[in-house]
Amino acid sequence: MANEIRTKAVSIAERFGFAQDDAEDIAQDVMLRLWSLHEQISDAAHLKASVAITTKCVCIDKWRTARHHADIGYTLPLVDEDTLHDRLEYAELERWLYKQIDALPSTSGIVLRMRQLEHRELSEIAEILGIQQTSVSTLLSRARNELLNKLKRRNQQ
């Protein structure tokens, strides 16, 4: 039964977009968490549901703790990096942007990262997170608007 559970956890982690090695690590973490709860798990159906929920939670935790600093240069305004001043300004803007993305509510931040940084389709994000595609669109729109408003406030100062 443990092999079946581990395989399911790896499969779920891979659907969340993690590579095989990372998915294996997540599955091991899930197995440890489930082992600590083994006395509370009443039957096989409860166990299967616990595997799915625990794996999703571990994947989301990994996203929260890992900083995905993909190359987003094309999404930021183009800056002439010929001068030291421009390079410093660009680096500061990039740090500020990552900080603001990290400050977004968890689901909104995850959706924004998956769409903008990982270039995933809305349907794929909806499937990974287990939510409706319209909810993904709403979360993405809210996250973008919040970042835009923060950028406007920053530029007014």
Side-chain angles (χ1 to χ4, degrees):
M1 194 169 197
N3 285 334
E4 179 183 332
I5 292 168
R6 183 176 182 79
T7 303
K8 183 174 182 176
V10 168
S11 172
I12 292 170
E14 286 175 339
R15 280 189 285 153
F16 266 80
F18 288 97
Q20 178 70 32
D21 291 341
D22 293 332
E24 291 288 339
D25 292 342
I26 290 169
Q28 180 155 351
D29 193 16
V30 168
M31 296 297 285
L32 289 172
R33 289 183 187 197
L34 289 176
W35 178 252
S36 67
L37 300 172
H38 76 278
E39 294 175 355
Q40 299 170 3
I41 298 174
S42 56
D43 59 4
H46 186 213
L47 177 61
K48 288 180 181 182
S50 297
V51 169
I53 292 169
T54 304
T55 305
K56 284 182 181 181
C57 290
V58 170
C59 288
I60 290 170
D61 286 346
K62 289 260 188 205
W63 274 335
R64 286 181 182 161
T65 57
R67 294 190 180 253
H68 294 278
H69 291 286
D71 180 20
I72 63 166
Y74 66 91
T75 61
L76 295 174
L78 295 176
V79 176
D80 180 17
E81 293 188 358
D82 290 338
T83 67
L84 178 61
H85 175 74
D86 289 341
R87 284 187 294 224
L88 290 173
E89 188 174 325
Y90 182 79
E92 191 275 327
L93 176 62
E94 188 175 29
R95 280 191 304 275
W96 180 86
L97 183 58
Y98 278 115
K99 183 178 177 185
Q100 299 310 310
I101 291 172
D102 289 342
L104 290 171
S106 62
T107 309
S108 296
I110 290 170
V111 168
L112 184 70
R113 280 185 204 94
M114 291 175 79
R115 180 69 175 160
Q116 296 301 127
L117 303 179
E118 299 174 11
H119 313 291
R120 294 180 184 267
E121 296 295 324
L122 295 178
S123 58
E124 184 180 5
I125 296 169
E127 182 181 332
I128 288 170
L129 296 178
I131 59 177
Q132 297 289 326
Q133 188 170 337
T134 55
S135 298
V136 171
S137 297
T138 302
L139 289 167
L140 184 60
S141 176
R142 286 180 186 165
R144 286 176 175 164
N145 283 333
E146 189 171 337
L147 281 178
L148 179 62
N149 290 333
K150 287 180 178 184
L151 185 60
K152 286 178 182 177
R153 284 192 300 268
R154 178 181 184 263
N155 289 338
Q156 288 175 353
Q157 294 176 352

